[in-house]
Amino acid sequence: MKLYIPTNYQPTLPPEMMEQSIKMLKGLFQDELADSLNLRRVTAPLFVLSGTGINDDLNGTERAVSFPIKDMDDRKAEVVHSLAKWKRMKLGAYNFPPGYGLYTDMNAIRADEELDNIHSLYVDQWDWECTITDEERTLDYLKDTVDKIFQVLKKVEKKTYETFPHIKPYLPEKITYIHSEDLLAEYPDLSPKDRETEAAKKYKAVFIIGIGAKLANGEKHDGRAPDYDDWSTPTDDTHQGLNGDIILWNPILNSPLEISSMGIRVDKAALLRQLELGNCLERQSLTFHKALLNDEIPLSIGGGIGQSRLCMYFLRCAHIGEVQASLWSDEMIEKCKANNILLK
């Protein structure tokens, strides 16, 4: 069991106030995000058909929860991992012009997740996607979008402090940008996760650029599926990638907290390049991939932002189970209870 217990932990809010606070934070964040990025809310699926290429493959190893559909000749459906590709198809179906997009409440089950303070079987996040032009497929455009999201986080932090004066603001004035290659050069003897820890501890809020491609040491900073984020676009002799993660330093857990994975999505050239790098060129025949290669899906930028993680950060919770209902081992429940961490 992986579990971190903060010394002398005390919840910032009593249980009867926690639910109201979660509602306030979620409502405020999604409204501010929609306004900042010109997003319209849409309804999302809980499951999609297997074999279409629409589901998110994450790192390519996680098993999707699946079931046969009795009234469709037992054709298999699978619970979504995220909606990275589904959102992009909806941009095309709804004909969103450049500069406008959609967001939705995504709920998922990740049965292979290793449970700890910030990982749960149940995943809830805001999935968002925005149509862009070919000229906007740049690192500067990616950074500009990250800046907008960070300013929304700052607004939520300000509202939290105004509502609960004992929960002090912690975010820095600006988010710091670091390429995964530069992070490797700065901390060559550390693992990717330990490099993230050092960066987040130093800057309090960082966006790590370029996740999915191999770095100078022949290893990836972290895995990414080959068919949504563009992580293989060369930008100079060493740096590549038009994607990344927003990571905050969590003062309660003394560790980094990733709250968003996002990026500019693959165009046709990047898709083919990354499918080849991933040894999965056969995916070209799947529904999503054929539509992209046939110019039936617009260019876009998008990502996911963890709802429960955002709430646990701003309410200074020690465990994600304090802000969401999920399943935990008896051992974890009892150890948390003995240390004033009440799981739902």
Side-chain angles (χ1 to χ4, degrees):
M1 180 180 65
K2 294 177 61 178
L3 181 65
Y4 175 80
I5 301 294
T7 303
N8 300 321
Y9 176 73
Q10 292 293 332
T12 57
L13 296 173
E16 61 270 19
M17 292 184 64
M18 187 65 76
E19 294 292 351
Q20 291 179 326
S21 305
I22 292 169
K23 181 177 182 295
M24 179 196 75
L25 290 177
K26 288 185 177 182
L28 176 62
F29 182 85
Q30 68 181 22
D31 289 346
E32 292 288 346
L33 181 72
D35 183 62
S36 180
L37 299 184
N38 297 322
L39 306 176
R40 180 190 308 165
R41 190 187 185 282
V42 299
T43 301
L46 177 59
F47 40 81
V48 295
L49 287 172
S50 300
T52 60
I54 297 175
N55 203 358
D56 181 359
D57 296 300
L58 301 178
N59 293 309
T61 59
E62 295 87 348
R63 300 171 299 168
V65 175
S66 62
F67 58 93
I69 306 172
K70 180 180 178 181
D71 205 37
M72 295 175 61
D73 297 324
D74 281 344
R75 190 172 181 185
K76 189 168 74 171
E78 54 190 34
V79 176
V80 297
H81 275 143
S82 85
L83 298 170
K85 289 176 273 191
W86 177 88
K87 292 176 299 179
R88 193 168 174 186
M89 296 183 74
K90 286 301 176 186
L91 285 180
Y94 295 155
N95 198 28
F96 279 94
Y100 294 85
L102 57 83
Y103 79 94
T104 190
D105 288 290
M106 191 283 297
N107 296 293
I109 301 171
R110 296 183 183 171
D112 290 340
E113 202 73 83
E114 188 173 359
L115 308 183
D116 57 24
N117 295 71
I118 64 173
H119 292 94
S120 170
L121 298 174
Y122 170 63
V123 179
D124 57 341
Q125 65 183 36
W126 290 284
D127 257 321
W128 65 274
E129 200 81 11
C130 189
T131 301
I132 61 174
T133 65
D134 187 51
E135 292 73 24
E136 291 170 329
R137 299 189 75 258
T138 66
L139 188 57
D140 284 342
Y141 188 85
L142 174 64
K143 289 182 177 180
D144 181 64
T145 305
V146 173
D147 284 341
K148 291 178 180 179
I149 294 173
F150 188 69
Q151 288 308 308
V152 172
L153 292 173
K154 292 282 290 181
K155 288 182 180 180
V156 173
E157 182 178 64
K158 182 175 183 289
K159 178 64 175 180
T160 302
Y161 178 52
E162 290 172 350
T163 307
F164 308 109
H166 62 292
I167 302 180
K168 308 299 182 184
Y170 189 78
L171 289 173
E173 284 305 307
K174 295 181 179 180
I175 190 168
T176 298
Y177 294 92
I178 305 175
H179 197 284
S180 55
E181 197 74 67
D182 293 331
L183 209 53
L184 171 62
E186 186 173 357
Y187 304 105
D189 298 324
L190 298 183
S191 69
K193 291 303 177 186
D194 287 338
R195 296 197 290 269
E196 287 185 1
T197 297
E198 293 302 317
K201 184 189 301 183
K202 181 178 180 179
Y203 298 109
K204 303 299 185 288
V206 295
F207 184 77
I208 298 179
I209 303 166
I211 297 178
K214 290 183 178 179
L215 303 176
N217 63 355
E219 300 175 356
K220 299 177 181 180
H221 183 83
D222 199 358
R224 284 294 185 274
D227 41 19
Y228 56 100
D229 283 352
D230 186 343
W231 43 256
S232 65
T233 299
T235 55
D236 60 35
D237 291 339
T238 58
H239 292 178
Q240 51 191 355
L242 292 172
N243 72 336
D245 290 343
I246 297 176
I247 300 175
L248 309 179
W249 181 251
N250 187 321
I252 302 301
L253 299 180
N254 290 313
S255 64
L257 180 69
E258 177 195 321
I259 64 162
S260 179
S261 174
M262 59 174 288
I264 290 174
R265 307 310 197 183
V266 291
D267 58 9
K268 289 192 290 186
L271 174 64
L272 293 173
R273 182 170 58 248
Q274 293 180 182
L275 289 180
E276 184 172 5
L277 288 170
N279 296 314
C280 51
L281 281 169
E282 71 281 356
R283 293 191 189 181
Q284 295 177 69
S285 63
L286 298 176
T287 302
F288 170 82
H289 304 72
K290 285 195 297 185
L292 177 56
L293 293 171
N294 290 332
D295 294 316
E296 297 169 3
I297 298 177
L299 299 174
S300 68
I301 183 173
I305 300 170
Q307 296 187 10
S308 290
R309 286 192 180 186
L310 182 142
C311 290
M312 72 174 291
Y313 175 83
F314 285 120
L315 297 176
R316 304 292 186 255
C317 297
H319 197 290
I320 198 168
E322 294 178 83
V323 296
Q324 65 158 239
S326 186
L327 296 177
W328 315 99
S329 68
D330 292 340
E331 181 185 4
M332 183 176 288
I333 292 171
E334 290 305 315
K335 188 169 184 179
C336 284
K337 184 177 180 181
N339 288 276
N340 297 314
I341 303 173
L342 304 179
L343 306 185
K344 293 188 180 297

